[in-house]
Amino acid sequence: MAQRSITSFFKKI
Amino acid sequence: MFEARLTQSAILKKVLDAIKDLLTEATFECTDSGIQVQAMDNAHVSLVSMNLRSDGFDKYRCDRNLSMGMSIAVMSKILKCATTNDTVTMRAVDNPDTIEFMFDTPGKDVQAQYEMKLINMDQEHLGIPETVYSCVVKMPSQEFARIVRDLSQFGENITIACTKEGIKFSAAGDTGTANVKLAQTADSGESDSVTIEMQESVKLSFSCRYLNFFIKATPLCEQVQLSLSNDVPLVCEFNIGEIGHIKYYLAPKIED
């Protein structure tokens, strides 16, 4: 299985 | 001037134990309302969001908002020098280069003082959207820790499936499979109760490596709250005594 990055869910503000 | 005092350093020692393996450095945002930390691990797979309310401290003063970059490893080393009953005071001037930690042992005329250099850090703040989760599970934190440790022996990932019947943790690998299922308990609000609020069933897989980092927070409180929705990060939340909380967000695994 591949690991997603947290930054693909939460964007920089 | 910033000054925050806790009569028992135990809680701060536990907080450092809960983050030291996951974070190398973090920015501590200090305001009148308390201390906030938001930081990602180096691989950007998880996010820690921590809050320590000013009213939870025995003394708290913050004249100007401060943003202090700290080495978690060094801070952890310093906190290890305090015994659990020591009073801990953190102090910094406005526009500080360093932060001072002072430990006073009750009944003894001994004061230990440690000064730590602050780090210049890039301000990276992520917006966490308000989410209504499909499943919110509260369970004993020790039970969760045990399941994570036990299942990690059998695979790299733990699959969490939550239905009306209960919550099921599974791992599978070359050596075999492991499954632990918990049903909701009759009474809620007790330290050993399991409660499940479910709108929709969920099934998600997460890296054991990160879940093992999160369970380092187990000594902080008796219950852990897991919030899950399909295709969004897991939230694993521990209360920090009466003073605040630590939330770990973990991005799910997806099929290759």
Side-chain angles (χ1 to χ4, degrees):
Chain A
M1 297 185 93
Q3 177 65 64
R4 290 193 64 178
S5 163
I6 199 79
T7 50
S8 64
F9 296 97
F10 304 152
K11 301 294 173 203
K12 280 182 198 173
I13 49 170
Chain B
M1 171 87 178
F2 165 77
E3 192 173 302
R5 180 183 299 159
L6 282 169
T7 49
Q8 297 232 316
S9 70
I11 224 161
L12 210 53
K13 286 164 82 75
K14 288 177 190 172
V15 166
L16 265 296
D17 284 342
I19 58 173
K20 72 176 167 49
D21 296 332
L22 191 58
L23 304 176
T24 50
E25 51 197 30
T27 303
F28 286 64
E29 306 278 356
C30 304
T31 66
D32 204 32
S33 57
I35 303 172
Q36 284 202 314
V37 176
Q38 192 204 77
M40 283 185 281
D41 67 281
N42 285 338
H44 291 189
V45 169
S46 67
L47 177 86
V48 176
S49 172
M50 188 171 79
N51 179 32
L52 299 167
R53 286 188 311 274
S54 55
D55 60 14
F57 287 87
D58 299 292
K59 183 183 177 190
Y60 190 91
R61 174 181 166 187
C62 185
D63 300 337
R64 276 181 66 176
N65 291 356
L66 291 181
S67 192
M68 294 188 279
M70 301 201 206
S71 157
I72 301 301
V74 176
M75 197 177 172
S76 177
K77 269 186 205 171
I78 291 173
L79 264 303
K80 278 212 161 48
C81 302
T83 61
T84 52
N85 289 325
D86 281 0
T87 294
V88 55
T89 308
M90 294 179 281
R91 190 184 286 163
V93 296
D94 294 342
N95 298 317
D97 297 319
T98 60
I99 181 165
E100 195 177 56
F101 294 85
M102 277 168 302
F103 305 134
D104 291 279
T105 308
K108 283 189 182 173
D109 198 12
V110 179
Q111 189 183 63
Q113 187 257 351
Y114 299 84
E115 200 174 78
M116 180 174 76
K117 287 180 187 163
L118 298 175
I119 308 166
N120 279 326
M121 286 178 62
D122 288 334
Q123 292 294 331
E124 255 192 1
H125 205 80
L126 300 182
I128 302 167
E130 283 287 323
T131 308
V132 177
Y133 289 92
S134 301
C135 295
V136 177
V137 179
K138 287 182 188 155
M139 62 183 285
S141 56
Q142 286 192 9
E143 186 101 55
F144 178 63
R146 189 184 154 190
I147 291 168
V148 169
R149 273 196 298 266
D150 289 352
L151 268 53
S152 297
Q153 302 178 98
F154 298 95
E156 280 181 21
N157 306 311
I158 292 178
T159 299
I160 304 177
C162 192
T163 63
K164 257 184 272 179
E165 280 71 49
I167 181 164
K168 189 170 94 171
F169 300 86
S170 321
D174 298 336
T175 55
T177 61
N179 291 285
V180 180
K181 211 169 170 178
L182 297 177
Q184 188 158 206
T185 53
D187 50 349
S188 61
E190 304 291 324
S191 62
D192 60 352
S193 63
V194 178
T195 52
I196 300 170
E197 286 170 34
M198 196 204 78
Q199 318 293 330
E200 205 180 333
S201 62
V202 297
K203 191 178 181 188
L204 286 156
S205 294
F206 300 99
S207 160
C208 289
R209 176 178 154 78
Y210 287 89
L211 294 172
N212 275 287
F213 289 138
F214 302 171
I215 60 172
K216 305 278 178 179
T218 304
L220 282 169
C221 65
E222 289 181 319
Q223 288 253 311
V224 59
Q225 179 173 302
L226 308 174
S227 303
L228 299 130
S229 283
N230 284 322
D231 302 318
V232 303
L234 159 77
V235 192
C236 191
E237 181 175 351
F238 296 84
N239 283 333
I240 303 171
E242 301 291 308
I243 169 168
H245 64 251
I246 180 163
K247 289 183 189 180
Y248 301 94
Y249 294 85
L250 178 59
K253 291 260 187 142
I254 46 168
E255 296 292 341
D256 286 317

